[in-house]
Each structure stands twice: as C-alpha cells, then as structure tokens.
Amino acid sequence: MDFALTDDQVALRETARRFATERMTPVAAELEAGDVPLSAEWRRQYADMGFLGINVSPKYGGLGMTNLDALLVLEEFAKVSSAVAFPVFESNVGPARAIEHFGHDNLKRRVLPAMCAGEIVVAVSMSEPDAGSALTDLTTRATVKGDTIVLNGQKRWCSGGGHSDGYVVYCRLSDDPGAKGIGAVYVEKDRPNVRFGPNEELMGFRGIPSADIFFDDVEVPADNLIVPAGGFPRLMEAFDLERCGNATMAVGQAAAALDDALAYVQERRQFGKPIVDFQAVQLKLADMAMRVEAARLLIHRAAQNASHGLPSVYESSLAKCFANEIAREVCGTAVQLLGGYGYSKAFPAERRFRDSWGWGIAGGTIDIQKVNIAAALVGRRFNQRG
Ligand SMILES: Cc1cc2nc3c(=O)[nH]c(=O)nc-3n(C[C@H](O)[C@H](O)[C@H](O)COP(=O)(O)OP(=O)(O)OC[C@H]3O[C@@H](n4cnc5c(N)ncnc54)[C@H](O)[C@@H]3O)c2cc1C
C-alpha cells in the first residue's frame, strides 16, 4: 500500500494551490460579499489552466485523469472558498459525471465539451419540497412523447439554481412506485416554461446560487434522457463520486481553518507569550490535524479504489459522513482559537464554519450517510417507511 502521491500529482496539487491561493483569494471575498457566482471569465481561465473536467474523457473535452487527481485540485480550491471551488466540483464530480456515464452520445457532445471549456455550468436537481432524505418520494414527472420529453413539477435547493445553464433533473419517468419509476433528464435553462424562484438566502454557500425550479410542460428532445425509469440505482452510483466531492469540499474548509489557526496561534500573544505555548491550544491543534488527515485519507481511499470509475457507496458514505462531521468541529475550533477575529466577518473563519455546516446537509444528511454505512455493513437496505 502506497500513501504517497505521484510526482505528477504533487505538481498538479501545487499548481492548483498556487493558482487558487494567489488568484482566487480576493475573488472569494468578492463572491462572499456580493453573494454572486463566479464569472464566466474566471471559469474560462479555470478551463485554460486545466481545472475543469479533469477526470472527464478527452473524447468529451476533458483531461482523462483520475478521480483522485480531480479531488486533489478540488481541495485546493475549496480551501480558498466553496464558491470559487463550485465550478471545479460541478465539472469533475458533480452532475456531469451522470451525463458522461449514462447519457446519449449526442447529449455528451452537446454538454460536456462546453462544460470542460467553462462555457456552461451544469447543476443537479433532485430535491423537492416534499422529497429530501426520502428522495424516492419525488413527484416531478417526465413523459416521453415520440421525439420529445415533457416535464412538469417543482424542484428545491438546487445549488446553481437560476444561474446554471443546464440541469440534471431527477424525475418520475413511469408509473412504477418509489425508486423504480425514477430516472433523469437533462434540461437546459433557456427552454420555454422553465421558471426559477427567488435566490434563497442561506446560512452559508454565498456565491453558490440556490433557487426553486418550476417545470410547466417543458419540452426537451428525447436524447436529453440520461437514465430511463428504473435507472435510479445507476444515478446513485454516479452520486457516489459526488459524495467524495462533497467530502472534499468539507475537508477543504477544515484544512484551511487549520492552516489559519496554526498561523494565528503562533503570532497572537497573550499573557506575554504566543498562545500556542498554552497546552490547551496545542491539544486543539492536534485534534484538528488528526481529523483533517483522517478525513482526507478516507476520501482518497474511496477515490483511489475507483480510479476512473465510480466509488463504492460504503467508502464514499464513510468519507462524506466523517468529513462533514469533522469539518463542522474543526471550523468551529478555528473560530474559537481566533477569538474575536474568528467571529468577525473580516476574516474567513466564520464563513468556513457556515459553509461546513451546509456540506453536511447537501448531498444527503450526515445521518442518512450513517444509514447507508450501516446498510452496507449489514448487507441489506433498511426500510425507512415501515
Ligand atoms: C447547502 C445545500 C445545498 C444543496 N444542494 C442541492 C442540490 O444541488 N441539488 C439538490 O437536489 N438538493 C440540494 N440540497 C438539498 C439536500 O439534498 C437536502 O436538503 C437533504 O437531502 C435533506 O433533505 P431535507 O432538507 O428535505 O431534510 P429532511 O429529509 O426533511 O430531513 C430533516 C432531518 O431529518 C433527518 N432524517 C430524515 N429522514 C431520516 C431517516 N430516515 N433517518 C434518520 N434521520 C432522518 C435528516 O437527517 C435531517 O436531519 C442542498 C441542501 C443544502 C443545505
């Protein structure tokens, strides 16, 4: 077993780290202050630098590298902020992967090269007002009528909602109950009768727009079908990689919080000496480092075992659940160690704390991951409805 990154991976991470810290730190502050998403100009720069579609096949405009390569880059951006990292997330581990794995070739050619070039952003729209953890209760309906698919329904909490150019919409494609009737359809933002609600005001995630989406007899071509009815398990497989991305976003918050705290406690003096000289502070640093390192290892294991494919539900749920939990703790400890500066909006510690909370709800809550983990351990799914 080799825990060392290759020379190429170290170089890739270093390039991403330098670009993200030097160029994106001021941009992160602007996105946070204005609650606006990253501009198309910046996305194109990301694409020029090779940060989008890292693990997407070169046939569709990507770089054909591994999932781990993509996650190494994502963490460096996440350390700067969730908002500047979001296009990296979406293009590497987000909804695009469902399109690449399961979509019609026409759809892949329409969507993926444009996404890898930073020209469009793609979001995933699963949740509904009455279908969150109980995702298979979703009611958005898609009906195939000849060469056309017609959608009706309402979605909620879509990150990128209202801003993204395209949506991977989970919907009901047959009358079969529960998961059996669910598939997914790609819907472009500018299709007639696609409407968006107002931008949600969230606790964190500023710079990542979120809005309800309404579909009223929205028509898309038949090759926008990504997965037909009955394909829900395949969608969930693609989601296993998104979980690793979510975990990486969380670990990025925690790792940056640790870096900031480490610098601060060596500089800040109280009672005539640097506060790092107090043992209570040292213990906090050690606790933070243990958690960050362990979370990162779980993520890297899940990604490495999947290489170019899709991680297992067990490994990706473990990684997400643990990273989500430790990110909240570590970011909270950083706020505490930075004292008044930790609580001030002039510094990023409080933003990281707020964002870290969101990653433990987005993509399936922490407790739902635990249910997945227990199911994998026992070897059967537990009926949540009985
Ligand atoms: C920041 C953010 C970004 C998001 N981005 C997206 C996105 O891009 N696309 C998208 O489709 N959705 C997105 N979501 C929605 C997210 O997936 C849901 O919020 C999440 O799945 C939980 O659903 P819910 O909010 O309806 O909560 P509920 O399902 O109502 O859960 C409420 C509480 O009950 C608990 N609970 C529910 N059922 C069980 C159970 N069986 N066992 C134990 N506990 C249970 C949950 O753990 C939770 O603590 C986002 C949410 C947030 C906060």
Side-chain angles (χ1 to χ4, degrees), residues 28-350:
E30 283 168 27
L31 304 190
E32 178 68 17
D35 194 11
V36 287
L38 191 74
S39 69
E41 291 70 37
W42 274 115
R43 284 202 321 262
R44 279 192 282 272
Q45 286 217 38
Y46 283 18
D48 289 346
M49 292 290 295
F51 298 139
L52 303 182
I54 296 166
N55 51 353
V56 172
S57 162
K59 197 171 154 200
Y60 301 113
L63 296 174
M65 294 162 80
T66 65
N67 291 329
L68 181 55
D69 295 329
L71 294 175
L72 290 172
V73 169
L74 180 61
E75 185 184 333
E76 295 310 319
F77 281 81
K79 277 154 88 174
V80 175
S81 89
S82 300
V84 300
F86 205 64
V88 181
F89 174 88
E90 294 284 53
S91 71
N92 287 294
V93 293
R97 303 319 306 273
I99 298 175
E100 187 180 7
H101 278 276
F102 309 122
H104 193 285
D105 201 51
N106 287 346
L107 181 65
K108 294 185 202 182
R109 288 184 190 287
R110 268 194 282 135
V111 176
L112 298 176
M115 189 203 64
C116 292
E119 285 158 14
I120 63 166
V121 213
V122 179
V124 62
S125 188
M126 307 182 291
S127 310
E128 297 184 358
D130 294 320
S133 301
L135 184 59
T136 54
D137 283 353
L138 65 83
T139 58
T140 294
R141 184 73 206 220
T143 312
V144 182
K145 291 185 179 164
D147 290 343
T148 307
I149 305 172
V150 184
L151 286 100
N152 282 285
Q154 179 183 356
K155 291 292 179 182
R156 179 150 293 168
W157 306 130
C158 174
S159 298
H163 168 71
S164 297
D165 304 275
Y167 299 85
V168 172
V169 179
Y170 284 41
C171 48
R172 223 155 254 299
L173 276 142
S174 79
D175 291 331
D176 290 328
K180 290 198 182 76
I182 296 176
V185 173
Y186 183 74
V187 181
E188 294 87 350
K189 176 187 185 175
D190 48 12
R191 293 275 170 199
N193 304 330
V194 175
R195 289 182 301 112
F196 298 96
N199 191 32
E200 300 286 349
E201 294 250 2
L202 304 179
M203 170 178 163
F205 274 48
R206 289 173 67 80
I208 303 177
S210 173
D212 276 10
I213 313 177
F214 302 90
F215 304 105
D216 299 302
D217 285 329
V218 172
E219 294 188 8
V220 298
D223 63 13
N224 276 29
L225 182 70
I226 301 170
V227 170
F232 188 67
R234 287 155 77 200
L235 283 169
M236 285 294 106
E237 265 174 47
F239 204 73
D240 291 336
L241 183 60
E242 179 145 350
R243 264 193 213 111
C244 291
N246 174 306
T248 302
M249 287 293 232
V251 111
Q253 310 310 305
L258 171 59
D259 286 349
D260 285 356
L262 196 54
Y264 184 79
V265 297
Q266 293 177 78
E267 194 183 291
R268 174 71 175 170
R269 298 175 71 86
Q270 288 294 281
F271 302 98
K273 57 184 181 181
I275 59 173
V276 72
D277 284 354
F278 298 109
Q279 197 173 45
V281 171
Q282 297 157 18
L283 302 188
K284 285 190 177 58
L285 290 178
D287 280 340
M288 293 164 91
M290 283 191 301
R291 284 163 173 70
V292 169
E293 297 279 2
R296 191 182 281 130
L297 279 177
L298 283 175
I299 298 168
H300 287 190
R301 180 183 71 169
Q304 183 66 17
N305 284 348
S307 185
H308 291 85
L310 297 171
S312 80
V313 63
Y314 177 66
E315 291 186 349
S316 63
S317 299
L318 272 182
K320 171 168 160 43
C321 188
F322 190 69
N324 288 163
E325 286 192 336
I326 68 97
R328 290 175 177 183
E329 284 174 318
V330 170
C331 291
T333 307
V335 169
Q336 196 68 20
L337 281 175
L338 268 67
Y341 301 101
Y343 203 62
S344 163
K345 280 194 180 286
F347 299 91
E350 62 82 34

